[in-house]
Amino acid sequence: MTRHDDQWLERALRAAEPHLADDGFTQRVLAALPPAPAPRATRLDWVVPAAVALGSAVVASQFPLAPFLDLAEVALRQVQLSWLGAAVMIACMAGALLAEPLRRVL
Amino acid sequence: MEAASDEELLRRAARPDGRQAFAVLVSRHQSGIRCSLRRLTRGNAALADDLAQETFISAWRSLADFRGDSSFRTWLYRIAYRSFLSEVRRRDAHTGEIAEHHALAPDQSEARAFMDDFDAALRQLSPAQRDAVHFSLQRGFSHPEIAHIMGLPLGTVKTHVLRGRQKLQELLSDWQEGFGNDKA
């Protein structure tokens, strides 16, 4: 028996197929829909922050630390406000990098 | 927007203001999904509509997961079939009545009689054969699409469809010269 042999059955079933009127079904579905889902975070979302962090670590490792330590010592003694500003700046940069991936995850 | 393809509507639906595009998709597919679920639930219209609503809500929640590996229609029927199977597992729905509520037009009494015979013939198939035959004969899905919807191996689906169609043809042979042929 081939597919061709029972095409009459396929035709008959499709001819008898009812079409259900919407009767408010679509509106009921729309009323029950939750808020639009946020796109899920993907692994790619972490690539930029991770690359920036890695690059920063590599660059930092190439710098001699002694002058910076001396500067830090001076700064700790004399320029407390500058350190506060630097800390705020670093926090802002980190926040900008991590905000989007965290928003998608949360 | 009504003339846009499913894929275009999907892209629009995925935007923050995509509800209207999604509404068009629901309106476009509601009849087919609800009819299929009525058949799968053996005529339980209330349960079928609940499952259909659950299907569309689940699709809405999963819009970001749709990768276009299949057509939107196939993806939607896969969600519907999985909702149905979950319900079957939960309440063993295979004992319900078949097709008591099919909404045929009043002047289609012959169609109604044919569908009653078809439903009776379907009862003689296994549940998996019945579902595979429905997706093949009434929804026009290909074997690979049915395999995707039902989550079965392609070979199994081919066997179910072939044997189911053979059996239906035997059981409904009285209709072969009558209803449907002159309407093709």
Side-chain angles (χ1 to χ4, degrees):
Chain A
M1 189 177 297
T2 66
R3 179 181 172 83
H4 178 75
D5 291 330
D6 68 354
Q7 281 186 347
W8 68 270
L9 182 56
E10 204 166 325
R11 285 197 301 270
L13 284 169
R14 290 188 184 166
E17 174 80 0
H19 176 83
L20 292 183
D22 189 287
D23 287 336
F25 177 83
T26 299
Q27 287 308 313
R28 287 195 295 279
V29 170
L30 289 183
L33 286 184
R40 288 188 179 177
T42 66
R43 289 178 182 175
L44 286 177
D45 293 328
W46 295 93
V47 167
V48 172
V52 169
L54 183 63
S56 301
V58 170
V59 170
S61 69
Q62 302 303 311
F63 276 84
L65 289 177
F68 288 98
L69 291 174
D70 292 342
L71 279 175
E73 188 177 352
V74 171
L76 277 173
R77 289 177 186 164
Q78 300 178 0
V79 202
Q80 298 293 332
L81 283 178
S82 297
W83 273 102
L84 183 61
V88 170
M89 186 177 71
I90 290 170
C92 288
M93 289 172 64
L97 285 170
L98 296 175
E100 180 61 16
L102 285 175
R103 187 188 67 78
R104 292 186 178 199
V105 168
L106 299 175
Chain B
M1 194 181 292
E2 300 288 335
S5 68
D6 282 358
E7 286 66 30
E8 175 57 28
L9 288 170
L10 261 181
R11 278 191 289 277
R12 295 185 197 177
R15 297 173 189 162
D17 58 346
R19 281 178 179 250
Q20 194 53 42
F22 191 73
V24 177
L25 285 169
V26 175
S27 178
R28 183 177 291 177
H29 292 285
Q30 61 86 20
S31 177
I33 288 285
R34 290 165 69 203
C35 279
S36 281
L37 284 166
R38 286 186 185 194
R39 180 153 301 285
L40 292 169
T41 58
R42 308 184 78 173
N44 189 333
L47 173 60
D49 277 8
D50 285 348
L51 290 176
Q53 182 165 331
E54 186 181 313
T55 296
F56 286 111
I57 292 172
S58 179
W60 168 258
R61 286 195 173 115
S62 306
L63 282 179
D65 295 335
F66 181 74
R67 297 173 189 164
D69 297 335
S70 62
S71 70
F72 171 73
R73 182 169 172 263
T74 303
W75 182 67
L76 197 59
Y77 274 84
R78 178 179 167 86
I79 294 173
Y81 192 68
R82 292 172 82 163
S83 295
F84 161 71
L85 289 182
S86 296
E87 188 64 23
V88 167
R89 280 193 286 270
R90 204 169 68 81
R91 64 160 85 182
D92 194 22
H94 273 294
T95 56
E97 292 296 318
I98 287 183
E100 292 296 328
H101 306 285
H102 266 275
L104 292 170
D107 61 343
Q108 288 186 297
S109 56
E110 190 184 26
R112 178 58 181 262
F114 172 73
M115 290 308 290
D116 286 346
D117 279 2
F118 176 66
D119 291 333
L122 276 182
R123 276 193 286 263
Q124 300 194 36
L125 306 183
S126 71
Q129 272 182 355
R130 192 165 55 222
D131 299 346
V133 163
H134 164 70
F135 287 126
S136 173
L137 282 177
Q138 292 183 280
R139 289 292 168 270
F141 285 114
S142 67
H143 290 159
E145 287 172 332
I146 297 169
H148 184 69
I149 290 168
M150 296 182 68
L152 293 176
L154 180 58
T156 305
V157 166
K158 285 180 178 176
T159 302
H160 284 327
V161 172
L162 179 68
R163 290 183 182 165
R165 289 174 77 132
Q166 284 176 341
K167 200 161 189 175
L168 283 180
Q169 189 172 11
E170 291 165 15
L171 294 168
L172 297 170
S173 58
D174 288 348
W175 286 96
Q176 186 161 1
E177 300 304 321
F179 176 72
N181 274 342
D182 55 347
K183 299 182 181 184

